[in-house]
Amino acid sequence: MTTFAPDSLALNRKLPLWYQVSQSLRASILGRSPEAPLRLPTEDALAAHYGVSVLTMRQALKELEAEGLISRHRRRGTFIEPSARRGSPVRLLGSVDTIVAQQSGMSTELLAHGPTPVPPELATHFPGLSEVAGYRRLRGDEATGEPTNHAHNYVHPDVAARIDPADLQRWPMTKILRDAVGVRISRITDTVEARLADPETARLLKVPLLSPILHYTGLTYDADGRVVDVARIHYRGDRFSFTVSLDA
């Protein structure tokens, strides 16, 4: 019987092995021919193919299962989901300290803070809540004072109760959550997209109305998988770039 044949992989020791294996296997799944079998080799066979431990392979498969690319059945095996999307957002692995470094080194003005209604589009991130704590900040170049970005954070009330607003004038929110409040951050999911400056953003960033800006959305999860902070940041297009460097 024909079996699914995953691509080979040259491992990079600078990145977690499970992540590399999951990316390689994802590419094999999404790039397979329509007539290719849906059943994957066993964990042991896949681990031997990639030259990793079964534990590493299991973690990689768990990642793909969470994305809906595969389903796993006790005693039957692991199968590719026929309805799995053939296109998915690019996911790049980094560290929390990368986010902290990117947000640091700027002067910060705390514009407002206090209870705020949960925006309808964020309701799924804060189930059961009608209000969260809102923080609005304007950050700028320390040397010139020129505004560079406008940030709005929506923070879970349980976490916000432990935040000292004065800290927001010297530290990024990510650092405060992790180091000052003690949140065990499990991951941060970032999205960056191009938008046009609305009147408020144009005024705060001192750019023409409808000029290009970069809109960043960051979801911060704690160790229980709960969203504790949603950051929405508007960056001036002429002062911010999004760069990704990948080792071959």
Side-chain angles (χ1 to χ4, degrees):
M1 182 179 66
T2 304
T3 58
F4 176 82
D7 296 336
S8 59
L9 171 64
L11 293 171
N12 181 339
R13 297 296 168 178
K14 294 181 180 179
L15 293 173
L17 297 181
W18 69 264
Y19 174 77
Q20 297 177 71
V21 170
S22 70
Q23 298 301 303
S24 178
L25 192 52
R26 179 187 292 108
S28 299
I29 291 172
L30 296 178
R32 75 192 189 283
S33 60
E35 64 275 8
L38 296 177
R39 185 170 186 168
L40 293 183
T42 65
E43 285 182 355
D44 289 345
L46 285 170
H49 173 80
Y50 285 115
V52 298
S53 69
V54 173
L55 184 61
T56 296
M57 193 67 241
R58 193 168 296 157
Q59 190 172 1
L61 291 172
K62 184 178 180 181
E63 175 78 3
L64 298 182
E65 184 180 24
E67 294 179 15
L69 283 179
I70 63 174
S71 59
R72 311 186 72 191
H73 306 275
R74 188 175 181 84
R75 295 191 178 90
R76 287 181 53 211
T78 302
F79 296 84
I80 298 169
E81 285 294 323
S83 60
R85 291 181 302 144
R86 299 190 68 83
S88 60
V90 175
R91 299 185 63 216
L92 302 170
L93 193 67
S95 68
V96 172
D97 288 293
T98 301
I99 301 296
V100 171
Q102 186 273 319
Q103 296 174 348
S104 300
M106 290 178 280
S107 61
T108 303
E109 177 186 358
L110 182 60
L111 300 177
H113 68 91
T116 186
V118 176
E121 65 274 19
L122 300 184
T124 56
H125 301 308
F126 298 107
L129 296 178
S130 59
E131 281 190 343
V132 290
Y135 301 87
R136 291 180 58 238
R137 290 165 297 150
L138 183 64
R139 294 185 288 205
D141 187 293
E142 287 190 333
T144 65
E146 184 178 39
T148 57
N149 67 81
H150 171 227
H152 196 161
N153 290 79
Y154 300 88
V155 181
H156 197 287
D158 292 348
V159 175
R162 292 174 278 158
I163 293 178
D164 182 351
D167 287 340
L168 286 165
Q169 295 182 300
R170 55 188 179 130
W171 290 338
M173 178 65 81
T174 305
K175 180 175 176 62
I176 292 172
L177 293 176
R178 186 188 64 179
D179 299 338
V181 176
V183 173
R184 293 173 56 206
I185 296 175
S186 63
R187 73 182 191 276
I188 299 175
T189 302
D190 295 340
T191 303
V192 180
E193 57 186 316
R195 290 193 180 180
L196 300 179
D198 57 35
E200 181 187 27
T201 301
R203 177 181 63 82
L204 289 170
L205 297 184
K206 298 181 180 179
V207 297
L209 181 65
L210 300 182
S211 61
I213 60 170
L214 287 177
H215 177 76
Y216 163 95
T217 302
L219 304 178
T220 300
Y221 295 81
D222 66 11
D224 296 322
R226 181 182 66 165
V227 173
V228 294
D229 172 45
V230 177
R232 289 175 160 179
I233 308 176
H234 290 112
Y235 290 91
R236 282 182 52 156
D238 61 342
R239 296 301 305 273
F240 182 83
S241 62
F242 182 70
T243 302
V244 176
S245 177
L246 301 175
D247 287 338

CSV table of all heavy atoms in Angstrom, one decimal, residues 185-211:
chain,number,residue,atom,x,y,z
A,185,ILE,N,4.1,34.2,30.8
A,185,ILE,CA,3.7,34.3,29.4
A,185,ILE,C,4.1,33.0,28.6
A,185,ILE,O,5.3,32.6,28.7
A,185,ILE,CB,4.4,35.5,28.8
A,185,ILE,CG1,3.9,36.8,29.5
A,185,ILE,CG2,4.1,35.6,27.3
A,185,ILE,CD1,4.6,38.1,29.0
A,186,SER,N,3.1,32.4,28.0
A,186,SER,CA,3.4,31.2,27.2
A,186,SER,C,3.7,31.5,25.8
A,186,SER,O,4.5,30.9,25.2
A,186,SER,CB,2.2,30.2,27.3
A,186,SER,OG,1.0,30.8,26.7
A,187,ARG,N,3.0,32.5,25.2
A,187,ARG,CA,3.3,32.9,23.8
A,187,ARG,C,2.7,34.2,23.5
A,187,ARG,O,1.8,34.7,24.2
A,187,ARG,CB,2.8,31.9,22.8
A,187,ARG,CG,1.3,31.8,22.6
A,187,ARG,CD,0.9,30.7,21.7
A,187,ARG,NE,-0.5,30.8,21.3
A,187,ARG,CZ,-1.5,30.3,22.0
A,187,ARG,NH1,-1.3,29.7,23.1
A,187,ARG,NH2,-2.8,30.4,21.5
A,188,ILE,N,3.2,34.9,22.4
A,188,ILE,CA,2.7,36.1,21.9
A,188,ILE,C,2.5,35.9,20.4
A,188,ILE,O,3.4,35.5,19.7
A,188,ILE,CB,3.6,37.3,22.2
A,188,ILE,CG1,3.8,37.5,23.7
A,188,ILE,CG2,3.0,38.6,21.6
A,188,ILE,CD1,4.8,38.6,24.0
A,189,THR,N,1.3,36.2,20.0
A,189,THR,CA,0.9,36.1,18.5
A,189,THR,C,0.8,37.5,17.9
A,189,THR,O,0.0,38.3,18.4
A,189,THR,CB,-0.4,35.3,18.3
A,189,THR,OG1,-0.3,34.0,18.9
A,189,THR,CG2,-0.7,35.2,16.8
A,190,ASP,N,1.7,37.7,16.9
A,190,ASP,CA,1.7,39.1,16.3
A,190,ASP,C,1.1,39.1,14.9
A,190,ASP,O,1.3,38.1,14.2
A,190,ASP,CB,3.2,39.6,16.2
A,190,ASP,CG,3.8,39.8,17.6
A,190,ASP,OD1,3.1,39.9,18.5
A,190,ASP,OD2,5.1,39.8,17.6
A,191,THR,N,0.4,40.1,14.6
A,191,THR,CA,0.0,40.4,13.2
A,191,THR,C,0.3,41.8,12.8
A,191,THR,O,0.1,42.7,13.6
A,191,THR,CB,-1.6,40.2,13.1
A,191,THR,OG1,-1.9,38.9,13.6
A,191,THR,CG2,-2.0,40.4,11.7
A,192,VAL,N,0.9,42.0,11.7
A,192,VAL,CA,1.3,43.3,11.2
A,192,VAL,C,0.6,43.5,9.8
A,192,VAL,O,0.7,42.6,8.9
A,192,VAL,CB,2.8,43.5,11.0
A,192,VAL,CG1,3.1,44.9,10.5
A,192,VAL,CG2,3.5,43.3,12.4
A,193,GLU,N,-0.1,44.6,9.6
A,193,GLU,CA,-0.8,44.9,8.3
A,193,GLU,C,-0.7,46.4,8.0
A,193,GLU,O,-0.5,47.2,8.9
A,193,GLU,CB,-2.2,44.4,8.4
A,193,GLU,CG,-3.0,45.0,9.5
A,193,GLU,CD,-4.4,44.4,9.6
A,193,GLU,OE1,-5.1,44.2,8.6
A,193,GLU,OE2,-4.9,44.1,10.7
A,194,ALA,N,-0.9,46.7,6.8
A,194,ALA,CA,-0.9,48.1,6.3
A,194,ALA,C,-2.3,48.7,6.4
A,194,ALA,O,-3.2,48.0,6.1
A,194,ALA,CB,-0.4,48.1,4.9
A,195,ARG,N,-2.3,49.9,6.9
A,195,ARG,CA,-3.6,50.6,7.0
A,195,ARG,C,-3.4,52.1,6.6
A,195,ARG,O,-2.2,52.5,6.4
A,195,ARG,CB,-4.2,50.5,8.4
A,195,ARG,CG,-4.7,49.1,8.7
A,195,ARG,CD,-5.6,49.1,10.0
A,195,ARG,NE,-6.0,47.8,10.3
A,195,ARG,CZ,-6.8,47.5,11.3
A,195,ARG,NH1,-7.2,48.5,12.2
A,195,ARG,NH2,-7.2,46.3,11.6
A,196,LEU,N,-4.5,52.8,6.6
A,196,LEU,CA,-4.4,54.3,6.4
A,196,LEU,C,-4.8,55.0,7.7
A,196,LEU,O,-5.6,54.6,8.4
A,196,LEU,CB,-5.4,54.7,5.2
A,196,LEU,CG,-5.2,54.0,3.9
A,196,LEU,CD1,-6.2,54.5,2.9
A,196,LEU,CD2,-3.8,54.3,3.4
A,197,ALA,N,-4.1,56.1,7.9
A,197,ALA,CA,-4.2,56.8,9.2
A,197,ALA,C,-5.6,57.4,9.3
A,197,ALA,O,-6.0,58.2,8.4
A,197,ALA,CB,-3.1,57.8,9.3
A,198,ASP,N,-6.3,57.1,10.4
A,198,ASP,CA,-7.6,57.8,10.6
A,198,ASP,C,-7.3,59.1,11.3
A,198,ASP,O,-6.2,59.4,11.6
A,198,ASP,CB,-8.5,56.9,11.5
A,198,ASP,CG,-7.8,56.5,12.8
A,198,ASP,OD1,-7.1,57.3,13.4
A,198,ASP,OD2,-8.0,55.4,13.3
A,199,PRO,N,-8.3,60.0,11.5
A,199,PRO,CA,-8.1,61.3,12.0
A,199,PRO,C,-7.3,61.3,13.4
A,199,PRO,O,-6.4,62.1,13.5
A,199,PRO,CB,-9.5,61.9,12.2
A,199,PRO,CG,-10.3,61.2,11.1
A,199,PRO,CD,-9.7,59.8,11.1
A,200,GLU,N,-7.7,60.5,14.3
A,200,GLU,CA,-7.0,60.5,15.6
A,200,GLU,C,-5.6,60.0,15.5
A,200,GLU,O,-4.7,60.6,16.0
A,200,GLU,CB,-7.7,59.6,16.6
A,200,GLU,CG,-7.1,59.6,18.0
A,200,GLU,CD,-7.7,58.5,18.9
A,200,GLU,OE1,-8.2,57.5,18.5
A,200,GLU,OE2,-7.6,58.7,20.2
A,201,THR,N,-5.3,59.0,14.7
A,201,THR,CA,-4.0,58.4,14.5
A,201,THR,C,-3.1,59.5,13.8
A,201,THR,O,-1.9,59.7,14.2
A,201,THR,CB,-4.0,57.1,13.8
A,201,THR,OG1,-4.8,56.2,14.5
A,201,THR,CG2,-2.6,56.6,13.6
A,202,ALA,N,-3.7,60.1,12.8
A,202,ALA,CA,-2.9,61.1,12.1
A,202,ALA,C,-2.5,62.3,13.0
A,202,ALA,O,-1.4,62.8,12.9
A,202,ALA,CB,-3.8,61.6,10.9
A,203,ARG,N,-3.4,62.7,13.9
A,203,ARG,CA,-3.2,63.8,14.8
A,203,ARG,C,-2.1,63.4,15.8
A,203,ARG,O,-1.1,64.2,16.0
A,203,ARG,CB,-4.4,64.2,15.5
A,203,ARG,CG,-4.2,65.3,16.6
A,203,ARG,CD,-5.5,65.6,17.3
A,203,ARG,NE,-6.0,64.5,18.0
A,203,ARG,CZ,-5.6,64.1,19.3
A,203,ARG,NH1,-4.6,64.8,19.8
A,203,ARG,NH2,-6.1,63.1,19.9
A,204,LEU,N,-2.2,62.2,16.4
A,204,LEU,CA,-1.2,61.8,17.4
A,204,LEU,C,0.2,61.6,16.8
A,204,LEU,O,1.2,61.9,17.4
A,204,LEU,CB,-1.7,60.6,18.1
A,204,LEU,CG,-2.9,60.7,19.0
A,204,LEU,CD1,-3.4,59.4,19.5
A,204,LEU,CD2,-2.5,61.6,20.2
A,205,LEU,N,0.2,61.0,15.6
A,205,LEU,CA,1.5,60.7,15.0
A,205,LEU,C,2.1,61.8,14.1
A,205,LEU,O,3.2,61.7,13.6
A,205,LEU,CB,1.4,59.4,14.2
A,205,LEU,CG,1.1,58.1,15.0
A,205,LEU,CD1,1.1,56.9,14.1
A,205,LEU,CD2,2.0,57.9,16.2
A,206,LYS,N,1.3,62.8,14.0
A,206,LYS,CA,1.7,64.0,13.2
A,206,LYS,C,2.0,63.6,11.7
A,206,LYS,O,3.1,63.9,11.2
A,206,LYS,CB,2.9,64.7,13.8
A,206,LYS,CG,2.6,65.3,15.2
A,206,LYS,CD,3.7,66.0,15.8
A,206,LYS,CE,3.4,66.5,17.2
A,206,LYS,NZ,4.5,67.2,17.9
A,207,VAL,N,1.1,62.9,11.1
A,207,VAL,CA,1.2,62.5,9.7
A,207,VAL,C,-0.1,62.9,9.0
A,207,VAL,O,-1.1,63.1,9.6
A,207,VAL,CB,1.4,61.0,9.6
A,207,VAL,CG1,2.7,60.5,10.3
A,207,VAL,CG2,0.2,60.2,10.2
A,208,PRO,N,0.0,63.1,7.7
A,208,PRO,CA,-1.2,63.4,6.9
A,208,PRO,C,-2.3,62.4,7.1
A,208,PRO,O,-2.1,61.2,7.2
A,208,PRO,CB,-0.7,63.5,5.5
A,208,PRO,CG,0.7,63.7,5.6
A,208,PRO,CD,1.2,63.0,6.8
A,209,LEU,N,-3.6,62.9,7.0
A,209,LEU,CA,-4.7,62.0,7.1
A,209,LEU,C,-4.7,61.0,5.9
A,209,LEU,O,-4.3,61.4,4.8
A,209,LEU,CB,-6.0,62.8,7.0
A,209,LEU,CG,-7.3,62.0,7.1
A,209,LEU,CD1,-7.5,61.3,8.4
A,209,LEU,CD2,-8.5,63.0,6.8
A,210,LEU,N,-4.9,59.7,6.2
A,210,LEU,CA,-5.0,58.6,5.2
A,210,LEU,C,-3.6,58.3,4.7
A,210,LEU,O,-3.4,57.6,3.7
A,210,LEU,CB,-5.9,59.0,4.0
A,210,LEU,CG,-7.4,59.2,4.4
A,210,LEU,CD1,-8.2,59.5,3.1
A,210,LEU,CD2,-7.9,58.0,5.1
A,211,SER,N,-2.5,58.7,5.4
A,211,SER,CA,-1.2,58.3,5.0
A,211,SER,C,-0.9,56.9,5.5
A,211,SER,O,-1.6,56.4,6.4
A,211,SER,CB,-0.1,59.2,5.6
A,211,SER,OG,-0.2,59.2,7.0
